[in-house]
Amino acid sequence: MADCAHTWRKKLRLQELMIIARKELELGKDVSQVYKILEEQMSIRWRFVGTTKKQYLDDVTKILANQYVLTV
C-alpha cells in the first residue's frame, strides 16, 4: 500500500511539473531556464533535497523527449 501512495504522489508531482515546464517552453524560455524554475518550485513546494530534484528533472527530461509516458 505504501508503494501505491508513493507512486501516486510522484505521478501528481510530475504532472504539476510538466504543466509548469510546458507553459514556460511555450512562452519561449530556454530549457536551462525552465529547469531552474522547476528546481525552485520543487524547493518551495515540497522541500526536495538535491538528489530527489535530480530524479524528478530526469523524469521530466524523459517525458519531454517522449521516452517516458505519464498516464492520467
Side-chain angles (χ1 to χ4, degrees):
M1 186 70 173
D3 287 338
C4 294
H6 178 326
T7 304
W8 179 73
R9 275 190 234 110
K10 183 174 182 177
K11 180 179 169 183
L12 289 177
R13 290 175 180 152
L14 282 171
Q15 286 176 343
E16 288 183 41
L17 292 173
M18 287 307 302
I19 290 169
I20 295 168
R22 287 190 178 127
K23 186 187 317 178
E24 296 297 329
L25 288 172
E26 286 176 1
L27 292 174
K29 292 195 178 174
D30 186 35
V31 175
S32 61
Q33 291 176 332
V34 173
Y35 286 143
K36 287 180 185 178
I37 292 169
L38 293 178
E39 283 186 34
E40 290 174 9
Q41 289 298 315
M42 286 187 277
S43 295
I44 293 168
R45 293 180 184 206
W46 304 299
R47 298 182 183 179
F48 284 160
V49 295
T51 54
T52 306
K53 287 182 205 174
K54 184 177 180 337
Q55 290 173 351
Y56 274 80
L57 288 176
D58 288 344
D59 287 341
V60 167
T61 302
K62 289 177 183 177
I63 293 168
L64 289 173
N66 292 325
Q67 295 175 351
Y68 184 71
V69 177
L70 186 64
T71 59
V72 178

